[in-house]
Amino acid sequence: NAGVTQTPKFQVLKTGQSMTLQCAQDMNHNSMYWYRQDPGMGLRLIYYSASEGTTDKGEVPNGYNVSRLNKREFSLRLESAAPSQTSVYFCASSESWYEQYFGPGTRLTVT
Amino acid sequence: QQQVKQSPQSLIVQKGGISIINCAYENTAFDYFPWYQQFPGKGPALLIAIRPDVSEKKEGRFTISFNKSAKQFSLHIMDSQPGDSATYFCAASSGTASKLTFGTGTRLQVTL
């Protein structure tokens, strides 16, 4: 089992460019999440999907959109990247309230 | 609005010593308190977790102490080892919701 996979691992964007971060899990989990991690800020929830076909905003959703493509895949889109979106992005999945499994992260720099 | 406050931001402990990281929460509806461990370049991974019906949970060298009245919980790492050097995050969630609210993290360095 690969667990949670994320692509790409690194990305550099110019202000105003768009991109989609991809996430997939092979554990048959219902819930999936997108977080951003910034120094001194911990992990902040951007969006989550409690089950296939549903998505909800987290703590910091502005500037992002998500798509729960199917049970396995949950993508995060930046329509017009800004320097404030420079961060490390983590995708996670869980079956229940108990444990979230995280991917290896995508390091995004917006210049 | 930070609902889970974590301290210290960084911690240096000698090998064999005890590492202590503290967290405080505000939302009394929280009823699940996990700790996640993150090594450089990796995603966080669940280390240990506690529900508020017990005051302490121990797994090997790692112990969570929970004080419901004070709305505080802490992670104790006994006999700290260089391999424990990582960033530790406390978190909390409520009910059946699987959304976690994370603390800001503590970077632990265990020296020889």
Side-chain angles (χ1 to χ4, degrees):
Chain A
N1 285 350
V4 179
T5 57
Q6 293 183 235
T7 55
K9 285 186 168 54
F10 301 93
Q11 183 70 48
V12 179
L13 291 178
K14 293 184 178 179
T15 297
Q17 287 185 319
S18 63
M19 78 160 296
T20 299
L21 281 64
Q22 306 287 353
C23 173
Q25 52 93 7
D26 62 2
M27 295 173 281
N28 202 37
H29 288 166
N30 282 312
S31 301
M32 298 186 73
Y33 314 82
W34 276 105
Y35 293 90
R36 60 177 289 172
Q37 183 176 17
D38 303 290
M41 304 286 286
L43 290 147
R44 292 182 293 169
L45 184 64
I46 304 171
Y47 271 94
Y48 69 102
S49 171
S51 61
E52 186 178 355
T54 67
T55 60
D56 286 289
K57 294 178 180 179
E59 182 184 354
V60 288
N62 291 346
Y64 306 95
N65 285 300
V66 291
S67 295
R68 183 75 182 266
L69 305 170
N70 47 56
K71 192 171 186 179
R72 290 186 65 249
E73 298 171 288
F74 189 38
S75 62
L76 178 71
R77 183 160 178 84
L78 286 71
E79 290 291 352
S80 178
S84 61
Q85 294 178 305
T86 293
S87 187
V88 181
Y89 291 85
F90 287 100
C91 177
S93 70
S94 72
E95 180 52 36
S96 69
W97 52 268
Y98 182 59
E99 179 173 3
Q100 292 188 15
Y101 294 82
F102 284 79
T106 294
R107 187 174 295 274
L108 175 68
T109 301
V110 183
T111 61
Chain B
Q1 181 184 356
Q2 184 185 353
Q3 295 192 54
V4 180
K5 295 184 178 180
Q6 183 172 350
S7 64
Q9 189 172 3
S10 63
L11 183 61
I12 300 175
V13 174
Q14 280 197 323
K15 179 182 176 183
I18 302 173
S19 303
I20 302 174
I21 305 170
N22 300 298
C23 283
Y25 63 96
E26 299 165 1
N27 187 347
T28 55
F30 286 150
D31 62 359
Y32 170 64
F33 303 90
W35 286 87
Y36 279 75
Q37 180 187 53
Q38 183 183 29
F39 293 106
K42 305 291 186 182
L46 180 66
L47 180 65
I48 186 172
I50 196 168
R51 301 297 294 267
D53 52 346
V54 296
S55 60
E56 185 176 283
K57 183 174 182 179
K58 184 176 181 179
E59 290 184 2
R61 295 184 295 108
F62 300 91
T63 300
I64 299 179
S65 297
F66 185 81
N67 185 328
K68 188 173 182 178
S69 61
K71 293 187 287 186
Q72 295 175 347
F73 58 110
S74 59
L75 176 69
H76 295 236
I77 306 174
M78 310 300 288
D79 187 26
S80 298
Q81 298 297 311
D84 297 330
S85 297
T87 298
Y88 293 82
F89 293 96
C90 62
S93 69
S94 62
T96 56
S98 50
K99 284 195 304 177
L100 289 171
T101 299
F102 283 89
T104 51
T106 296
R107 179 174 288 183
L108 171 65
Q109 182 182 354
V110 181
T111 61
L112 292 172

